[in-house]
């Protein structure tokens, strides 16, 4: 099967491509505008098209040229704070861009769609860990754009016979075990790389946005999933969709979480660096606790996390340098 991976040069997309390329029976085509992705993360031999999903003419050219059988979508803008400051930009990219993609899929009769969604659609959850059947109530534009797309997918199945799987998760972390690719956002917004940038001398301190939440130490609790585990879940979802031809939505979570202070303290223990922190005001749209369960994904997809503790994410003692699990460009290769 020919698989079009939209956003395949980005963080999660590039790890998906690495894992999918080891599987038999798939031909991969990457579509990416390289606004956040990196050309160096694309393996040799993988077909690449530089394009934006908001460019419908480019999409039609790519679909006509490659004739994909399925689409995996990782092209969303992902910062909660940025979405609050620029909601129109987020709806344009995350919603309008996905609509254009689905319209071209419909024209070329492509029926399978794997959507990288988010557990942020649940807002402030009433039950933790968040079950798969929780009621979506997003509290920021980012989460709402993903929820809007999920609704569009459901209506598109009803109207056009599209088959899809939505995978909802929180904080992706870590890097490929080869060390060739990892987390490299510009600007960086994810907690673990920000913490290690302090230890690397690239910033003076790490910010803690609010220490007065109703949690064990006053800081937000978040769910962390290793990026390779996420890639494996997407591959299992694709195989399930092709075999069963049945649309589904799954949460991908650890069922547990760590406070911001716990992650910072773990990094201090690993690096031996004091890693100064600075408490700042809460960010608009930040829930206190976000932890997802993954019971249905485990039962139906047979998905099981390989990296299942914070130590397995890379927070373990080592002698000479920072683990590639934590940050992909620790050796300054620019990946």
């Amino acid at each position: 099967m020919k698989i079009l991976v939209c956003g395949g040069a980005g963080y999660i997309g590039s790890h998906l491509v690495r894992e999918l390329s080891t599987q038999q029976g798939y031909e991969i085509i990457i579509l990416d505008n390289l606004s956040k992705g990196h050309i160096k993360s694309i393996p040799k031999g993988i077909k690449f098209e530089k394009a934006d999903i908001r460019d419908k003419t480019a999409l039609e050219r790519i679909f006509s040229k490659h004739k994909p059988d399925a689409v995996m979508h990782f092209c969303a803008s992902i910062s909660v704070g940025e979405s609050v400051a620029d909601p129109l930009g987020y709806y344009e990219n995350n919603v309008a861009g996905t609509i254009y993609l689905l319209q071209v899929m419909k024209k070329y009769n492509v029926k399978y769609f794997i959507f990288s969604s988010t557990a942020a659609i649940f807002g402030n959850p009433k039950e933790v860990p968040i079950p798969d059947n929780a009621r979506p109530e997003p509290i920021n534009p980012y989460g709402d754009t993903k929820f809007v797309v999920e609704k569009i997918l459901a209506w598109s199945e009803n109207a056009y016979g599209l088959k899809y799987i939505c995978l909802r998760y929180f904080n992706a972390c870590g890097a490929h075990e080869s060390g060739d690719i990892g987390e490299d956002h510009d600007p960086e917004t994810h907690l673990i790389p920000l913490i290690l940038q302090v230890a690397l001398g690239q910033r003076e301190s790490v910010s803690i946005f609010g220490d007065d939440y109703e949690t064990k130490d006053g800081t937000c609790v978040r769910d962390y999933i290793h990026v390779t585990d996420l890639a494996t879940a997407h591959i299992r979802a694709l195989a399930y969709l092709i075999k069963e031809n049945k649309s589904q939505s799954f949460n991908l979570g650890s069922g547990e979480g760590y406070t911001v202070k716990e992650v910072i303290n773990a990094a201090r223990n690993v690096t031996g660096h004091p890693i100064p922190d600075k408490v700042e005001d809460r960010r608009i749209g930040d829930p206190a606790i976000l932890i997802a369960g993954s019971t249905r994904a485990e039962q139906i997809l047979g998905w099981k996390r390989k990296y299942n503790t914070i130590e397995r994410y890379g927070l373990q003692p080592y002698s000479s340098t920072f683990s590639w699990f934590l940050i992909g460009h620790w050796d300054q290769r620019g990946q």
Side-chain angles (χ1 to χ4, degrees):
M1 294 191 70
K2 294 183 177 181
I3 312 300
L4 180 64
V5 183
C6 300
Y11 177 39
I12 300 174
S14 65
H15 288 79
L16 176 280
V17 168
R18 287 295 178 99
E19 296 303 309
L20 188 61
S21 65
T22 66
Q23 307 289 312
Q24 293 185 345
Y26 298 115
E27 178 182 335
I28 303 167
I29 306 101
I30 292 175
L31 181 158
D32 202 297
N33 67 6
L34 298 181
S35 63
K36 301 293 184 181
H38 304 275
I39 193 70
K40 291 181 179 180
S41 69
I42 299 174
K44 291 181 180 180
I46 300 294
K47 296 176 181 178
F48 171 67
E49 297 281 354
K50 185 178 180 181
D52 194 299
I53 60 171
R54 293 167 292 186
D55 185 344
K56 201 170 179 180
T57 300
L59 289 178
E60 295 213 13
R61 174 183 61 81
I62 291 166
F63 273 72
S64 176
K65 176 181 177 181
H66 295 286
K67 298 178 174 57
D69 299 297
V71 173
M72 306 181 82
H73 182 17
F74 300 91
C75 284
S77 302
I78 62 170
S79 170
V80 169
E82 187 179 57
S83 77
V84 173
D86 183 23
L88 292 179
Y90 266 65
Y91 282 94
E92 178 192 19
N93 184 62
N94 294 5
V95 178
T98 305
I99 289 173
Y100 296 149
L101 183 58
L102 292 171
Q103 287 174 335
V104 177
M105 286 179 62
K106 175 177 174 290
K107 179 175 180 178
Y108 287 86
N109 197 35
V110 181
K111 295 293 186 182
Y112 299 123
F113 190 74
I114 304 295
F115 181 50
S116 175
S117 188
T118 175
I121 67 170
F122 299 116
N124 285 307
K126 295 179 174 60
E127 183 179 349
V128 177
I130 304 169
D132 291 272
N133 62 354
R135 179 185 177 90
E137 294 180 352
I139 61 171
N140 53 62
Y142 164 61
D144 192 53
T145 60
K146 294 282 194 170
F147 181 42
V148 169
V149 169
E150 289 202 16
K151 291 191 289 185
I152 290 171
L153 293 176
W155 287 115
S156 295
E157 178 181 28
N158 183 64
Y160 316 122
L162 174 76
K163 297 300 178 182
Y164 65 89
I165 289 182
C166 298
L167 298 175
R168 303 157 170 171
Y169 47 90
F170 290 120
N171 298 301
C173 65
H176 193 266
E177 62 183 10
S178 67
D180 292 337
I181 55 173
E183 190 165 4
D184 187 11
H185 300 109
D186 185 18
E188 185 58 71
T189 59
H190 290 186
L191 177 62
I192 292 175
L194 289 174
I195 292 170
L196 292 185
Q197 284 178 7
V198 178
L200 285 164
Q202 296 173 358
R203 61 176 64 232
E204 293 183 358
S205 63
V206 61
S207 295
I208 297 175
F209 295 100
D211 63 351
D212 57 351
Y213 288 92
E214 293 184 7
T215 61
K216 66 176 72 174
D217 60 23
T219 62
C220 289
V221 177
R222 292 294 180 264
D223 204 347
Y224 296 91
I225 301 293
H226 196 278
V227 66
T228 299
D229 284 332
L230 289 178
T232 301
H234 283 80
I235 294 171
R236 286 187 172 272
L238 177 63
Y240 172 88
L241 192 61
I242 294 167
K243 179 181 178 181
E244 301 294 337
N245 198 42
K246 182 179 180 182
S247 298
Q248 293 271 12
S249 296
F250 298 100
N251 289 354
L252 302 177
S254 67
E256 59 185 358
Y258 300 94
T259 69
V260 173
K261 286 184 178 180
E262 284 176 330
V263 177
I264 294 173
N265 286 332
R268 286 170 176 153
N269 292 334
V270 168
T271 64
H273 191 284
I275 306 182
D277 61 63
K278 180 172 60 175
V279 177
E280 300 189 31
D281 292 338
R282 292 187 183 190
R283 294 181 298 195
I284 298 174
D286 263 352
I289 302 175
L290 292 176
I291 304 170
S294 56
T295 302
R296 291 187 69 251
E298 293 168 2
Q299 293 176 346
I300 297 175
L301 300 181
W303 178 65
K304 185 176 181 180
R305 292 181 299 133
K306 178 180 179 181
Y307 305 101
N308 53 15
T309 69
I310 197 168
E311 287 76 21
R312 292 290 287 161
Y313 302 152
L315 291 173
Q316 70 270 347
Y318 49 85
S319 58
S320 61
T321 187
F322 297 140
S323 169
W324 48 260
F325 276 126
L326 290 169
I327 191 164
H329 54 293
W330 53 264
D331 60 358
Q332 308 304 308
R333 286 176 295 184
Q335 295 294 315

